[in-house]
Amino acid sequence: MHAAVPKLKLEEICGVNRSSCLVETPSGYAIIQPDMMPKEGARVLVAALGQLQFAVIMGGVLITEDGESIEGDALKDVNVVGVVTFFVNGAIAFTDENPVL
């Protein structure tokens, strides 16, 4: 006899609500909370220089994924879209075409 396995919903696991946004990334998706206040160390999605990019808040400076820092007057041209709460990556991203046994 098998025990009933409860079905989990994305809303329960990731805290998705009405204001949540789903943004496609090269390896899957990011769940963004635009209504969440960013804190030190938070990963955020920002609109800067005409493009969307992920950054981390460190000491009042934004550090982008490619290691660039956005600080001082340059921050005036940056719009924080929201706080990244989860990355959802597809299983294909972890497929090894040359496994070693």
Side-chain angles (χ1 to χ4, degrees):
M1 180 179 246
H2 295 283
V5 178
K7 292 183 180 180
L8 298 175
K9 295 182 180 180
L10 188 62
E11 294 86 1
E12 297 166 353
I13 298 170
C14 299
V16 176
N17 60 34
R18 291 178 189 216
S19 64
S20 301
C21 299
L22 195 63
V23 176
E24 190 170 2
T25 68
S27 61
Y29 297 91
I31 298 176
I32 311 297
Q33 293 296 119
D35 59 345
M36 186 180 283
M37 182 63 73
K39 297 179 182 177
E40 181 74 17
R43 184 172 303 272
V44 293
L45 179 67
V46 298
L49 304 171
Q51 62 182 357
L52 291 175
Q53 53 187 323
F54 294 104
V56 176
I57 301 172
M58 299 181 83
V61 176
L62 292 172
I63 308 296
T64 64
E65 287 185 310
D66 57 358
E68 299 282 330
S69 64
I70 304 173
E71 54 189 312
D73 289 339
L75 287 172
K76 293 177 185 174
D77 299 327
V78 174
N79 178 35
V80 176
V81 177
V83 176
V84 178
T85 54
F86 288 91
F87 285 107
V88 181
N89 298 320
I92 292 176
F94 300 106
T95 302
D96 185 359
E97 294 181 17
N98 297 311
V100 176
L101 298 176

